[in-house]
Amino acid sequence: MSIQARRESERAEREQLIVTAARELAENEGWGAVTTRRLAAGIEYSQPVLYSHFKGKDAIMAAVAVQGFAQLAQELRSARAAMTDPGAALAAVGAAYTDFGERRPALYDAMFTHIVDLPFATPEAAPAVRDALGELREAILPLALDDDPGILTETFWGGLHGLVALMRGGRLPRTGHDRRLSLLIGHFAPPG
């Protein structure tokens, strides 16, 4: 391995260490607890080292979010691929999405509720963001008929996000989640 390749590898490892530490701290104590000072102390690097990788906390949160989108895309893809019926695939994707939001609250917040410099519906969007939202679109596409699949996907996503956000915020009780999700799915994939 060349010196340049080794340096690039070490840099990528440090960057991943920073992102992992931020995610773990956020999962344990919330995003308010994530500071560059705490991250630097936690990974035993100086703050200037962190700033040599990221402009600040928002950039670190955006990197965490991109990794979250990659995970979400994989989970949605697996859920969709496990079903052959389009309605069942959409239901599986909807369940996988809401489950992701419940299981990974700090990660979900970085991806969808905190304001970070992470474009969504533009050509500049990170591939992981496009992949995750693309999985939602792939689940909607067979059911779109004459409707605009992009608008349907955005509406479906908005419904899923609303369910996750309201339930996590205590505004909707967890006990009715499955019924609410079923009602949402039914508007996009009416029963056979």
Side-chain angles (χ1 to χ4, degrees):
M1 178 183 288
S2 72
I3 293 173
Q4 181 65 23
R6 185 169 23 99
R7 284 184 183 154
E8 288 173 10
S9 175
E10 289 169 355
R11 181 172 176 76
E13 287 174 18
R14 272 193 314 273
E15 208 164 279
Q16 183 56 50
L17 183 64
I18 294 165
V19 169
T20 300
R23 182 174 169 178
E24 288 173 359
L25 185 56
E27 287 172 350
N28 292 328
E29 300 180 40
W31 281 105
V34 178
T35 65
T36 54
R37 180 172 299 203
R38 285 194 71 188
L39 287 174
I43 63 171
E44 299 178 350
Y45 281 102
S46 67
Q47 281 183 288
V49 170
L50 264 70
Y51 286 114
S52 74
H53 290 274
F54 299 99
K55 290 181 181 177
K57 178 181 172 178
D58 289 346
I60 294 168
M61 194 181 301
V64 169
V66 168
Q67 288 186 358
F69 278 107
Q71 286 181 272
L72 178 61
Q74 179 55 47
E75 290 185 27
L76 297 178
R77 187 175 302 112
S78 294
R80 185 174 56 81
M83 302 296 172
T84 55
D85 175 71
L90 187 67
V93 164
Y97 182 97
T98 59
D99 181 59
F100 182 92
E102 283 188 276
R103 284 184 294 116
R104 297 183 172 94
L107 182 56
Y108 189 88
D109 287 346
M111 295 163 63
F112 294 112
T113 62
H114 288 288
I115 297 173
V116 294
D117 187 18
L118 192 61
F120 273 59
T122 68
E124 294 81 29
V129 174
R130 289 193 311 266
D131 289 348
L133 299 178
E135 285 302 320
L136 290 174
R137 187 177 197 282
E138 287 300 313
I140 285 285
L141 200 55
L143 303 163
L145 303 175
D146 292 333
D147 285 324
D148 180 333
I151 296 295
L152 284 174
T153 301
E154 292 167 355
T155 304
F156 181 59
W157 172 37
L160 293 173
H161 174 69
L163 290 176
V164 171
L166 291 169
M167 190 171 50
R168 283 191 43 225
R171 308 255 183 335
L172 291 176
R174 175 68 180 94
T175 55
H177 172 69
D178 293 338
R179 179 69 181 127
R180 286 187 293 275
L181 183 58
S182 178
L183 287 169
L184 177 66
I185 300 297
H187 285 284
F188 291 89

